[in-house]
Amino acid sequence: MGKEFTRSDSSEACAGILFRAGGKFLLVLHAVENRWMGPGGHLESGETAEQAAVRECIEEVGSCPDGKRWVAQHGDYTTFIQDCKPFDVRLNSESLAFNWFGADELPENMHPAVANLIADLSGNELDIAKAIQRGELASPQFYESMALFDVRVTGTGTSYRSAHDEYVYRPPENFLSDEFVERCNGLPLIFEHPDKTRLTTEEFRNRSIGIIILPYIKNDEVWGIAKVFDLDAAELMQTSHTSTSPMVAFRKTGSTASIEIDGNQVLIEGDPSFIEHLAVCVAGVWDKGGEPSGINLGDSIMADEDKVPAWADALIKRFDAIEAKEKERADAEEKKEKERADAEEAEKAKLKGETSEEAKKVEEEEERKERKDSEEEKKREEEKADSAKVIAGMAAEIKALNAKLQPLSNADRDALSVAQAKADRVAQMFGDSVNAPLYGESPIAYRKRLAEKFKAHSKDFAEIKLDSLDGPTFDIVEAKIYADAQTVALAPATGAGRGRLMPIVTKENGREITRYSGDPMAWMAPFISPSVGIAINKGAK
């Protein structure tokens, strides 16, 4: 402990646990800083945030009870929250005192970040939902019999629907509005779309897992806080089903239009007439070809530059501009006809003996009209050229997306299966598993994504950028990363920590083998008799 809750000056990662028993939080008085805070400290090499938090608690308060814990705050200092029963505390030299405090009993010399966190965690479900929305609490949070998740309701712009083999453009102005956000209040949250997409009474009973509250706009998307009452589904929302997909209907005649560009269908959506439900799924349309990103689990999954460019935004604006220009052109034609009639009248007046000055004015006016017509024609040509560029850009982007969506060969599918099996063997040593390959993902891209999961365990390659490596070089680096990860998983020093054992499950020759890493005293201590000291007084008579 000592640099707890550091946010800006330290590049070292830290982690700790706030233990909560009956609404009271365990806090320790730091010996150097003289401030109350939760137990915790820096991550050591090869440790996850949770492993470091457990180790620090054992060192600082004597033990770490088993039980469910989850992240309350992300950042340089990852804070876990764990509900437990009061337990015996044995302080080390880093702390002067400890106590269990209620949210309204906190001492004056509190660490401010810890005080704010306890205030957020001590509210009702609406308070906690608002704190998640503001980014002050991580998603998800568990409250009473439910979980609160930050989820995406819909994206906007351009994406690809593989089920319909079409590109779709969802206009931001129709969805990023106060009216649409208000309509999302109470939106049903279900587990995967029904086969026929639309909900029936029976499907709703079978699939409903929660509702959306506090919808809000985040950049070019609509998000909301989901109250999830099915805790089995909540577990899957943190592992396999980490995206969302809305069911939106468009009933107004002419509200959608379909155009074809280079043989690709592009559906231009209009004003949504009905938002039926939001489905939790493995991958959604508004992931836009990247990794699942519909559920906020604390880390940014896809960088902005990896998203499909919003070329259709410019296209739609260009369509609007063309329509406006057509109206302007019609008005100009009407005006020009009137001016032509006026010119004929002027010519007649000239023939009747009007002064040369009047004739000169008429001639200048005609020249001005000709210049204006020429300028308008030039402007129309420029707009046509701009539209052609937009459409050319659209064709290029569709071509790039099609390249990502090409079906894999049998050899590629075999390579993906081998890569997943290899990574799963290493992940199982940590009690974990790896994600399946994404649709259209190449074997080398999948292998690099899997290696990212384990490279933190490699001293030599923890900071390397795998995307920059060519195939042969990556083969060497990948083998070393996996070897280092296995070494870390099997090393007692990096396992469960003092006073704890960590099971490591592997499969060998068709059998499941469980080995334990950590401190043998964790199970031997209860069987050891207390030591007895004997002193012999040799001087006694």
Side-chain angles (χ1 to χ4, degrees), residues 118-133:
I118 289 176
D120 285 336
L121 291 170
S122 301
N124 57 35
E125 77 278 13
L126 181 59
D127 297 325
I128 293 174
K130 288 180 177 179
I132 295 173
Q133 185 192 62

Side-chain angles (χ1 to χ4, degrees), residues 135-307:
E136 295 172 4
L137 288 179
S139 165
Q141 291 299 308
F142 295 87
Y143 182 86
E144 298 291 345
S145 60
M146 68 177 178
L148 293 161
F149 282 82
D150 189 23
V151 300
R152 181 180 59 218
V153 176
T154 184
T156 62
T158 311
S159 192
Y160 176 76
R161 286 189 178 131
S162 57
H164 301 284
D165 190 24
E166 68 179 3
Y167 297 87
V168 60
Y169 176 75
R170 185 159 285 182
E173 60 270 20
N174 290 345
F175 290 83
L176 304 182
S177 66
D178 293 340
E179 186 263 350
F180 182 84
V181 169
E182 187 176 1
R183 291 167 63 186
C184 295
N185 266 306
L187 185 66
L189 184 70
I190 69 171
F191 193 80
E192 296 191 340
H193 287 300
D195 291 339
K196 294 184 179 180
T197 305
R198 298 299 299 272
L199 276 179
T200 62
T201 300
E202 183 178 2
E203 289 282 10
F204 178 78
R205 288 172 180 163
N206 293 336
R207 297 178 181 273
S208 178
I209 61 174
I211 60 171
I212 300 299
I213 63 171
L214 294 182
Y216 66 101
I217 294 173
K218 183 195 296 186
N219 299 324
D220 60 348
E221 298 176 328
V222 178
W223 285 66
I225 305 301
K227 297 172 70 172
V228 180
F229 299 95
D230 186 325
L231 296 184
D232 291 333
E235 290 298 320
L236 293 177
M237 289 171 69
Q238 299 173 79
T239 53
S240 59
H241 287 61
T242 56
S243 196
T244 56
S245 176
M247 194 287 159
V248 182
F250 301 88
R251 294 283 181 260
K252 296 179 182 178
T253 304
S255 64
T256 61
S258 183
I259 62 174
E260 183 175 318
I261 298 178
D262 291 348
N264 296 285
Q265 289 296 320
V266 180
L267 176 67
I268 311 298
E269 294 183 341
D271 188 20
S273 56
F274 180 43
I275 318 161
E276 186 185 74
H277 66 260
L278 180 66
V280 169
C281 55
V282 174
V285 170
W286 297 107
D287 296 329
K288 297 187 176 182
E291 292 197 21
S293 57
I295 298 176
N296 179 7
L297 297 176
D299 297 317
S300 179
I301 297 173
M302 181 172 62
D304 289 341
E305 57 266 24
D306 295 330
K307 295 182 180 179

Side-chain angles (χ1 to χ4, degrees), residues 63-94:
S63 63
C64 182
D66 291 329
K68 179 179 178 61
R69 65 181 69 95
W70 63 93
V71 176
Q73 279 185 341
H74 288 285
D76 295 335
Y77 192 106
T78 301
T79 305
F80 293 87
I81 178 71
Q82 179 174 341
D83 289 314
C84 63
K85 295 180 179 179
F87 58 91
D88 293 334
V89 174
R90 300 185 301 278
L91 298 178
N92 66 2
S93 60
E94 296 182 39

